[in-house]
Amino acid sequence: MDDAAPRVTRRRVRTRARLLDAAFRVFAAKGFGRVSIEEVCEAAGFSRGAFYSNFATLDELFFALYRERADLIAAQVAEALAQEGPGLDVPASVDRVTEVLLLDVDWLLVKTDFLVHAARDPEVARALLDHRARLREAIADRLFRARGRTGLPAVLGDADGAAHAVVAAYDGVTVQLLLDKDVEAARVWLKQLLTALLTDGRRTPGGPHPTARPHSTPHEDPQEGHSHDGR
């Protein structure tokens, strides 16, 4: 009898996780405003009773879904930036953060729905602002700890200003990604953009030129560690 409560708790955790996973798929496919509780339950294989034992409304589920994914991304960004010593290899850090941030188009669709929803609801907006602040703080903290070893362009001001610029660049690139669905091109372009932004346009050894297009050229020598720029 003593084990009954833990079993129920674990089952409820699994039920909640299945509802969130199903909701993610349905929201990505149809959009938040076009989804019903019944559709989420059907996708998860549960009854409405299972839904209401975990969430009071569809809005609450949507909020929980966004918070779960956003918290995971913030933690992944912080972990990616913490993998170096006191210095900062900008291209390597940009590579790691870009792999975490871009994720997939389905997540960007859900995130965009959440942004539109937040724009009309102050409480939801505060949650979104908190997530964005945590992303910026993770980036700013890493840049601040690398000061003296890695210089930032003066135009960005301090580490916090640079972190704001990084998030703004990500926002811009992902808008294009939502339209053309070209994940690889978006990943390459974001890497080049962030590297140029954080190094004041200076080239780094072995790295891509900041103004290069986000596609490799057919004449690039794979054995060389740099592009042929005629110099």
Side-chain angles (χ1 to χ4, degrees):
M1 295 297 293
D2 292 338
D3 293 335
R7 280 201 298 270
V8 170
T9 299
R10 287 194 293 270
R11 183 173 62 189
R12 183 167 182 176
V13 168
R14 289 194 296 269
T15 298
R16 180 183 174 89
R18 283 177 58 183
L19 284 167
L20 289 170
D21 287 343
F24 179 83
R25 297 193 303 271
V26 177
F27 288 148
K30 301 186 67 174
F32 173 66
R34 298 182 175 89
V35 173
S36 67
I37 290 175
E38 288 78 8
E39 287 174 297
V40 172
C41 291
E42 182 179 355
F46 291 128
S47 66
R48 288 175 64 94
F51 179 94
Y52 285 116
S53 69
N54 287 275
F55 305 102
T57 65
L58 201 58
D59 278 20
E60 183 182 326
L61 180 149
F62 190 47
F63 184 88
L65 172 64
Y66 181 85
R67 184 171 54 194
E68 177 186 76
R69 302 276 173 148
D71 286 348
L72 174 62
I73 292 170
Q76 288 173 329
V77 169
E79 181 180 356
L81 289 171
Q83 292 179 18
E84 296 179 23
L88 183 68
D89 182 337
V90 171
S93 295
V94 165
D95 282 351
R96 288 196 296 269
V97 170
T98 300
E99 294 299 328
V100 172
L101 279 177
L102 273 179
L103 293 179
D104 56 37
V105 173
D106 284 347
W107 162 245
L108 294 174
L109 287 168
V110 172
K111 187 167 76 78
T112 301
D113 272 349
F114 194 80
L115 174 62
V116 174
H117 186 48
R120 296 184 173 91
D121 187 321
E123 182 179 353
V124 179
R126 283 192 294 272
L128 181 56
L129 288 170
D130 177 67
H131 163 60
R132 290 171 68 84
R134 283 185 286 115
L135 275 178
R136 290 197 307 269
E137 286 166 6
I139 296 168
D141 178 68
R142 187 65 187 90
L143 293 174
F144 180 78
R145 287 188 286 111
R147 70 192 189 285
R149 298 179 178 86
T150 302
L152 292 173
V155 69
L156 297 178
D158 56 11
D160 188 57
H164 273 79
V166 168
V167 175
Y170 168 67
D171 288 341
V173 170
T174 53
V175 168
Q176 181 67 27
L177 174 57
L178 279 172
L179 297 175
D180 63 25
K181 305 295 191 297
D182 192 337
V183 176
E184 290 308 311
R187 181 176 290 113
V188 172
W189 175 236
L190 183 59
K191 288 179 180 180
Q192 293 178 345
L193 181 59
L194 293 182
T195 300
L197 182 70
L198 295 175
T199 59
D200 204 14
R202 296 186 301 273
R203 294 187 65 178
T204 53
H209 194 286
T211 57
R213 294 179 62 84
H215 299 283
S216 61
T217 63
H219 302 295
E220 186 170 327
D221 185 352
Q223 301 301 318
E224 296 288 337
H226 57 277
S227 60
H228 300 288
D229 56 10
R231 285 184 292 179

